Structure formats: C-alpha cells, structure tokens
Amino acid sequence: MQIPQPELLQLFPKPVLIAKYHQDFSKELEYVQGLEHKLNPKAEGDYAKQSSNTFLLDEPELARIREFIDVYLKFYVHNILECSDELFVTQAWTNICEKGKKHHEHNHPNSIVSGVFYFQINEKLPPIEFRNPNTHSFNLNIQKQNNFNSATFLLPLNSGELILFPSNLTHGVPENKSKQPRISLAFNTFAKGSLGCKETLTYLPLDRCS
Ligand SMILES: [Fe+2]
C-alpha cells in the first residue's frame, strides 16, 4: 500500500567531526615513533601501547598538530555545539596498536569533547567503532542496517585525519589486522574558567576549584 511520506525527526544525533590535515606530518610521526610507549598497567595482554607522556600536545614537536586541533575544537564548540564556552586540551597521549592488538570499549570521563588524530592507519581497516547509545534490548530482525537500528558503527578513516566526538560516546578500537602498526594521538578537553550561570543556579566556578 502506498502511503504519503511521513515526517521523520532524527532527535539528538551525536556530532562526530572529521577534518583532514593537509600538511606533511612525517617529522611529527617520526617524533611520536621515538617516544616511550608501554602497556597501561590496568590493561590485559592484547591491548595497544600508550605513550608514557600523557601531555604530548604541550610538546613543541607537536605544535603544528596542536594548532590544527585547536582550530577544529573551536569550530566544534562554536559552530556545532553553538556554545560560547572555550574548551582546552587536558591530557593527550599516543597509542601504538601493533598487529593483533586492540582496545576495549570505553568512554572518556572528566572530559567534554574527545578527539583522535590518526598518524598512521591502514585505510581499509576502520580504526574506531562507536556504540549506538540509542539501541534497546529487543532483538528485532533487521533487514537493512541504518543509523536507527545498528548497535555499532565502524568509522572508515585515513591517515592525517582528526575526529572530534562527545566524550561520553562509547567506542572501541578493533583489532589491527594489518602488519603496519596503527598510530594515533588521543586527547580530552574541558571548559576554561567556569560553567553554567548564577541565575539558573548552575554556576560551576572552575577557576575557584584549585
Ligand atoms: Fe577512546
């Protein structure tokens, strides 16, 4: 039966931004490859290694990448979230995911927006898988996957791309099936100064919390 096309609202979608770094980043990649990386003491055997330095975006060797990230972080906050708050990078670390390694599903507590810059990935193997926060527990017989019915989404990406996403969006790193190690830089952010306002009793004076 033919029915008139109904209206469909896509309520509360999650904004995941993808931006390409168009300059050469071989020097930065070389710097990252020379850093000490080790297994997180809380992780089990088949996980990716993490840099010992977790404030890497403060390092002058990564200043150009930092500048690129800051531009898109501002864009995300002002043009997508349409907020007047300023976010700054809190911690930033690199991950080296060798063949056969992965990272379990997680989100990023104590952060507002998180991001990953991909230094080196196999472009045929998506390096991140997001979990749909809106799925329910009934197992319907899905005929065609879409944004409403998929439990997870594997995001295909290229080397030199940055993604930004809400920190509470659960994601994992699928096993690296390529011989080439997957190298990425991840970071968290938080708001500068204060959040909320006194009139609505939501004032959080971050500058008074130290
Ligand atoms: Fe993550």
Tab-separated table of all heavy atoms in Angstrom, residues 93 95 103-108 114-116 128 130 165 167 169-173 186-188, ligand 1:
chain	number	residue	atom	x	y	z
A	93	TRP	N	47.774	11.806	24.560
A	93	TRP	CA	48.715	10.689	24.552
A	93	TRP	C	48.644	9.965	23.209
A	93	TRP	O	47.657	10.105	22.476
A	93	TRP	CB	48.382	9.711	25.690
A	93	TRP	CG	47.014	9.100	25.569
A	93	TRP	CD1	46.708	7.884	25.032
A	93	TRP	CD2	45.757	9.694	25.962
A	93	TRP	NE1	45.342	7.689	25.072
A	93	TRP	CE2	44.740	8.776	25.639
A	93	TRP	CE3	45.389	10.911	26.558
A	93	TRP	CZ2	43.391	9.023	25.878
A	93	TRP	CZ3	44.042	11.161	26.790
A	93	TRP	CH2	43.066	10.227	26.473
A	95	ASN	N	48.869	6.293	20.998
A	95	ASN	CA	48.618	4.856	21.096
A	95	ASN	C	49.314	4.194	19.920
A	95	ASN	O	49.197	4.664	18.782
A	95	ASN	CB	47.122	4.560	20.983
A	95	ASN	CG	46.339	5.248	22.080
A	95	ASN	OD1	46.512	4.961	23.248
A	95	ASN	ND2	45.484	6.193	21.697
A	103	HIS	N	41.681	-2.197	21.515
A	103	HIS	CA	41.385	-1.528	22.783
A	103	HIS	C	39.904	-1.707	23.091
A	103	HIS	O	39.070	-1.550	22.202
A	103	HIS	CB	41.776	-0.043	22.725
A	103	HIS	CG	41.894	0.571	24.079
A	103	HIS	ND1	42.931	0.272	24.936
A	103	HIS	CD2	41.098	1.412	24.743
A	103	HIS	CE1	42.763	0.932	26.066
A	103	HIS	NE2	41.656	1.628	25.973
A	104	HIS	N	39.616	-2.047	24.341
A	104	HIS	CA	38.232	-2.366	24.741
A	104	HIS	C	37.309	-1.144	24.610
A	104	HIS	O	37.781	-0.005	24.528
A	104	HIS	CB	38.228	-2.866	26.184
A	104	HIS	CG	38.627	-1.798	27.167
A	104	HIS	ND1	37.713	-1.143	27.957
A	104	HIS	CD2	39.825	-1.238	27.449
A	104	HIS	CE1	38.347	-0.237	28.682
A	104	HIS	NE2	39.622	-0.271	28.405
A	105	GLU	N	36.021	-1.391	24.641
A	105	GLU	CA	35.044	-0.294	24.583
A	105	GLU	C	35.142	0.567	25.836
A	105	GLU	O	35.288	0.042	26.945
A	105	GLU	CB	33.632	-0.876	24.522
A	105	GLU	CG	33.215	-1.222	23.129
A	105	GLU	CD	31.710	-1.403	23.016
A	105	GLU	OE1	31.035	-1.584	24.042
A	105	GLU	OE2	31.223	-1.369	21.884
A	106	HIS	N	35.059	1.864	25.647
A	106	HIS	CA	35.177	2.782	26.778
A	106	HIS	C	34.618	4.141	26.371
A	106	HIS	O	34.320	4.378	25.197
A	106	HIS	CB	36.658	2.936	27.179
A	106	HIS	CG	37.500	3.514	26.086
A	106	HIS	ND1	37.941	2.780	25.003
A	106	HIS	CD2	37.959	4.770	25.874
A	106	HIS	CE1	38.639	3.557	24.197
A	106	HIS	NE2	38.665	4.787	24.695
A	107	ASN	N	34.490	5.017	27.345
A	107	ASN	CA	34.273	6.429	27.032
A	107	ASN	C	35.317	7.221	27.825
A	107	ASN	O	36.184	6.614	28.465
A	107	ASN	CB	32.828	6.867	27.289
A	107	ASN	CG	32.404	6.606	28.710
A	107	ASN	OD1	33.217	6.625	29.632
A	107	ASN	ND2	31.128	6.337	28.903
A	108	HIS	N	35.249	8.559	27.750
A	108	HIS	CA	36.306	9.363	28.375
A	108	HIS	C	35.707	10.219	29.496
A	108	HIS	O	35.224	11.322	29.231
A	108	HIS	CB	36.988	10.246	27.333
A	108	HIS	CG	37.789	9.492	26.324
A	108	HIS	ND1	38.920	9.989	25.730
A	108	HIS	CD2	37.637	8.246	25.801
A	108	HIS	CE1	39.423	9.097	24.895
A	108	HIS	NE2	38.645	8.038	24.908
A	114	SER	N	36.171	14.703	23.117
A	114	SER	CA	37.431	13.977	22.945
A	114	SER	C	37.775	13.932	21.473
A	114	SER	O	36.915	14.175	20.618
A	114	SER	CB	37.326	12.549	23.493
A	114	SER	OG	37.195	12.596	24.895
A	115	GLY	N	39.023	13.610	21.194
A	115	GLY	CA	39.427	13.558	19.790
A	115	GLY	C	40.566	12.590	19.582
A	115	GLY	O	41.234	12.160	20.532
A	116	VAL	N	40.741	12.232	18.314
A	116	VAL	CA	41.862	11.378	17.920
A	116	VAL	C	42.418	11.901	16.601
A	116	VAL	O	41.649	12.191	15.673
A	116	VAL	CB	41.439	9.895	17.721
A	116	VAL	CG1	42.667	9.021	17.476
A	116	VAL	CG2	40.638	9.359	18.892
A	128	ILE	N	38.265	2.807	14.490
A	128	ILE	CA	37.418	3.107	15.663
A	128	ILE	C	35.991	2.630	15.391
A	128	ILE	O	35.498	2.716	14.264
A	128	ILE	CB	37.495	4.623	16.011
A	128	ILE	CG1	36.822	4.908	17.368
A	128	ILE	CG2	36.920	5.514	14.922
A	128	ILE	CD1	37.232	6.228	18.006
A	130	PHE	N	32.143	3.022	17.051
A	130	PHE	CA	31.271	3.692	18.026
A	130	PHE	C	30.067	2.811	18.341
A	130	PHE	O	29.551	2.118	17.456
A	130	PHE	CB	30.776	5.030	17.451
A	130	PHE	CG	31.857	6.061	17.364
A	130	PHE	CD1	32.482	6.351	16.164
A	130	PHE	CD2	32.277	6.735	18.513
A	130	PHE	CE1	33.492	7.295	16.086
A	130	PHE	CE2	33.288	7.689	18.443
A	130	PHE	CZ	33.896	7.962	17.230
A	165	PHE	N	34.517	14.081	18.998
A	165	PHE	CA	33.226	13.476	19.339
A	165	PHE	C	32.918	13.724	20.817
A	165	PHE	O	33.837	14.006	21.607
A	165	PHE	CB	33.231	11.968	19.028
A	165	PHE	CG	34.379	11.212	19.655
A	165	PHE	CD1	34.249	10.617	20.905
A	165	PHE	CD2	35.614	11.115	19.010
A	165	PHE	CE1	35.299	9.930	21.496
A	165	PHE	CE2	36.678	10.426	19.590
A	165	PHE	CZ	36.526	9.829	20.830
A	167	SER	N	32.628	13.147	24.576
A	167	SER	CA	33.454	12.217	25.362
A	167	SER	C	32.656	11.054	25.957
A	167	SER	O	33.234	10.025	26.294
A	167	SER	CB	34.152	12.976	26.490
A	167	SER	OG	34.989	13.962	25.954
A	169	LEU	N	30.464	9.300	24.397
A	169	LEU	CA	30.076	8.351	23.346
A	169	LEU	C	31.015	7.132	23.396
A	169	LEU	O	32.229	7.251	23.173
A	169	LEU	CB	30.147	9.044	21.979
A	169	LEU	CG	29.667	8.243	20.768
A	169	LEU	CD1	28.200	7.823	20.914
A	169	LEU	CD2	29.832	9.077	19.497
A	170	THR	N	30.427	5.975	23.701
A	170	THR	CA	31.244	4.764	23.868
A	170	THR	C	31.856	4.324	22.534
A	170	THR	O	31.192	4.348	21.504
A	170	THR	CB	30.365	3.636	24.449
A	170	THR	OG1	29.849	4.093	25.698
A	170	THR	CG2	31.153	2.358	24.681
A	171	HIS	N	33.122	3.931	22.596
A	171	HIS	CA	33.824	3.499	21.390
A	171	HIS	C	34.918	2.503	21.761
A	171	HIS	O	35.327	2.418	22.920
A	171	HIS	CB	34.437	4.700	20.656
A	171	HIS	CG	35.357	5.490	21.524
A	171	HIS	ND1	34.902	6.385	22.458
A	171	HIS	CD2	36.716	5.476	21.640
A	171	HIS	CE1	35.928	6.911	23.097
A	171	HIS	NE2	37.045	6.362	22.628
A	172	GLY	N	35.380	1.773	20.775
A	172	GLY	CA	36.484	0.833	20.986
A	172	GLY	C	37.377	0.842	19.772
A	172	GLY	O	37.047	1.447	18.738
A	173	VAL	N	38.529	0.211	19.898
A	173	VAL	CA	39.469	0.132	18.782
A	173	VAL	C	39.513	-1.327	18.334
A	173	VAL	O	39.962	-2.199	19.084
A	173	VAL	CB	40.876	0.619	19.217
A	173	VAL	CG1	41.879	0.459	18.094
A	173	VAL	CG2	40.802	2.063	19.686
A	186	ALA	N	45.389	10.614	20.992
A	186	ALA	CA	44.059	10.850	21.561
A	186	ALA	C	44.151	11.960	22.600
A	186	ALA	O	45.221	12.175	23.191
A	186	ALA	CB	43.546	9.574	22.204
A	187	PHE	N	43.044	12.659	22.804
A	187	PHE	CA	43.082	13.739	23.811
A	187	PHE	C	41.691	13.992	24.378
A	187	PHE	O	40.669	13.633	23.783
A	187	PHE	CB	43.661	15.029	23.203
A	187	PHE	CG	42.937	15.498	21.971
A	187	PHE	CD1	41.871	16.381	22.063
A	187	PHE	CD2	43.316	15.043	20.723
A	187	PHE	CE1	41.204	16.799	20.931
A	187	PHE	CE2	42.646	15.454	19.575
A	187	PHE	CZ	41.585	16.338	19.686
A	188	ASN	N	41.703	14.607	25.546
A	188	ASN	CA	40.475	15.011	26.231
A	188	ASN	C	40.466	16.521	26.392
A	188	ASN	O	41.514	17.179	26.266
A	188	ASN	CB	40.412	14.365	27.623
A	188	ASN	CG	40.113	12.885	27.545
A	188	ASN	OD1	39.450	12.426	26.614
A	188	ASN	ND2	40.597	12.141	28.517
B	1	FE	FE	38.986	6.467	23.497
